Amino acid sequence: MALFYVDGLPIGWIAIMLAVLASMGGFIFGYDTGQISDILIMDDFKLRFAQCGTPGDVSSCNFSVVREGLIVALLSIGTLIGALVGAPTADYFGRRYAMSLECIVFMVGVIIQITSFKSWVQFAIGRLVSGFGVGSLSAAVPMYQAETAPPQIRGTLTATYQLFITFGILVAYCISIGTRAIDGSGSWRTVVGIGLLWPLILGFGILFMPESPRWLTAHGRYPEAKRAIAATRGIPADEADNHFFVHREMEEMRSAIEFESKVKAGWLDCFKPERMQLYRTCLGMTLQMFQQLTGANYFFYYGATIFTSVGISDSFVTQIILGAVNFGCTFGGMYVMEKFGRRMPLIIGGIWQSIWLFVFAAAGTAKDPTQDKAIGTLMIVSACLFILGYAMTWAPGIWILIGETFPTRTRARQAALSTASNWLWNFLLAFFTPFITKAIGYRYGFVFAACNLTGAVIVYFFLYESSDLSLESVDMMYCDPTCKPWTSRTWAPAGFDSRRDLVEQGRAAEMHKPLEAGAGEETRFEKAGGAPVDAARAA
């Protein structure tokens, strides 16, 4: 039975559950990101792993920029490798089983970290291993969500991945402020050890969710694919074989996948100019790169250190405030990306973020924030306003696009390459930030401000508007030579006057009403020889 309706089309509770449960992969990443910022300034952690001038005197203990950079950034090296391995893993085992395996890998890394006693290298290696799991999940989760979610709420459901990243960061901050008073290693081991709980929830729970219908169709498992579609639509399983809507969506999927399967896909196919493959691969990698270059992780990885340097007595509290803004505003981001599409929020967000990063950098450069309380307050406010914009636009938006931009045949590989780009720049920023801030201080914010403006320009000239379209229609749009990024908002598949007309025809089909003239042929794909073939006809 449908849980609710969107534009007259049914949405089942399974669609919501699978999005939320799969998003635990984002929670795992967020938690791991948030904990390290606070762990680095915990007394016992510094006594064990930092370089101390006087043994046992925490005030004499400090991390060198190399050691601090490696502890923070080795997670990103692991995620980079994991993202590339995650694509063939998800294609071979299926999206669900791949996620369960990747959760086990993450847990191994956590165990390595909490069993570290005096060796900072062991702790860093543990983060590297955990990174393998996080990276693989970051490729598999958005792909699974995009392939399984109904098109009418695909943006919102895929954005839950980013929402859970922010939730994980906030939870890590809250747990850290609660454990910092624990004597000895319990202060940081508790924070790290609790991280074992999250992969258990995801790895076990995802097995009770339906597999991606597109993956099932690609492997010839059509009855299971129909049941998966029916489940997300709230249609009883015994009606799946004969239900008009399930049949229509199934035929669209089969036609697309049969066309794509005529040529066996490999990694090189991601870089071929045919069907805008190279264009889309480069676009995905570039957008993920600029998501990192927004500067958000500058605050998440080193926030406690930053706010201590501007004269805040309790940087843990400031981190929680920043994390709460990030988490709360991501709810707004889910609405914004669904209501206003993909392009406009990213353009406006890039400009907004640039403004507040400029204020942050200018304030910190003009006066010493440790000597001027007003300057320190201004820097915190500007950081929060930057995070507000980021959480509502670039944070959820890029993950949504990675799930819906690529064709089924190469989606896993192109998503992996795009995600690997994210993790590569994540590593570069995490490792080199201590060196850069030591050299130029808060002027680092000017660099991020310029990157945000550049990202907005790239979105305007190169990104196509993919909201309200099925994944198969998105592929058709990118391959349409008459469609340009700045005109893509008005593009609709052949036989439809507009995207609104597409929604109305879908509603009519679901209600078993006669389709309007011109909409009898819903989707068209090209055969290998160039002749068009019908994908699904109106009943």
Side-chain angles (χ1 to χ4, degrees), residues 37 110 129 247:
S37 177
V110 171
V129 175
H247 176 74

Side-chain angles (χ1 to χ4, degrees), residues 59 149 162 210 231 295-296 516:
S59 63
Q162 176 62 31
E516 294 176 10

Side-chain angles (χ1 to χ4, degrees), residues 29-50:
F29 167 50
Y31 186 83
D32 219 46
T33 298
Q35 69 179 12
I36 196 62
S37 177
D38 290 333
I39 285 175
L40 285 172
I41 59 174
M42 288 183 177
D43 289 350
D44 186 80
F45 192 83
K46 292 173 72 174
L47 285 169
R48 288 173 182 270
F49 304 122

Side-chain angles (χ1 to χ4, degrees), residues 163-210:
L163 176 68
F164 271 61
I165 290 177
T166 64
F167 188 37
I169 292 172
L170 178 60
V171 169
Y173 289 162
C174 293
I175 292 176
S176 295
I177 201 172
T179 64
R180 62 178 176 169
I182 298 176
D183 292 331
S185 63
S187 57
W188 59 271
R189 286 191 208 273
T190 302
V191 180
V192 178
I194 288 175
L196 289 169
L197 177 62
W198 323 128
L200 282 174
I201 294 172
L202 172 59
F204 185 69
I206 199 67
L207 299 177
F208 295 92
M209 295 293 106

Side-chain angles (χ1 to χ4, degrees), residues 436-502:
I436 296 171
T437 53
K438 187 176 182 180
I440 64 174
Y442 296 112
R443 289 190 294 275
Y444 197 17
F446 293 130
V447 176
F448 291 127
C451 289
N452 277 274
L453 285 178
T454 305
V457 171
I458 288 173
V459 168
Y460 179 80
F461 284 106
F462 297 102
L463 178 67
Y464 287 69
E465 181 56 68
S466 52
S467 61
D468 298 326
L469 295 174
S470 69
L471 298 183
E472 289 70 31
S473 294
V474 171
D475 186 42
M476 294 171 63
M477 175 178 64
Y478 271 94
C479 297
D480 186 346
T482 65
C483 182
K484 303 299 180 186
W486 49 89
T487 64
S488 59
R489 179 63 189 171
T490 59
W491 184 91
F496 297 94
D497 296 330
S498 64
R499 293 203 185 179
R500 186 63 194 171
D501 182 40
L502 174 64

Side-chain angles (χ1 to χ4, degrees), residues 74-110:
L74 272 181
L75 174 78
S76 302
I77 289 294
T79 54
L80 170 61
I81 298 169
L84 294 174
V85 174
T89 302
D91 276 347
Y92 183 79
F93 291 104
R95 313 318 191 205
R96 296 180 309 148
Y97 289 123
M99 283 187 264
S100 294
L101 289 172
E102 289 149 9
C103 286
I104 294 173
V105 173
F106 177 82
M107 293 171 68
V108 171
V110 171

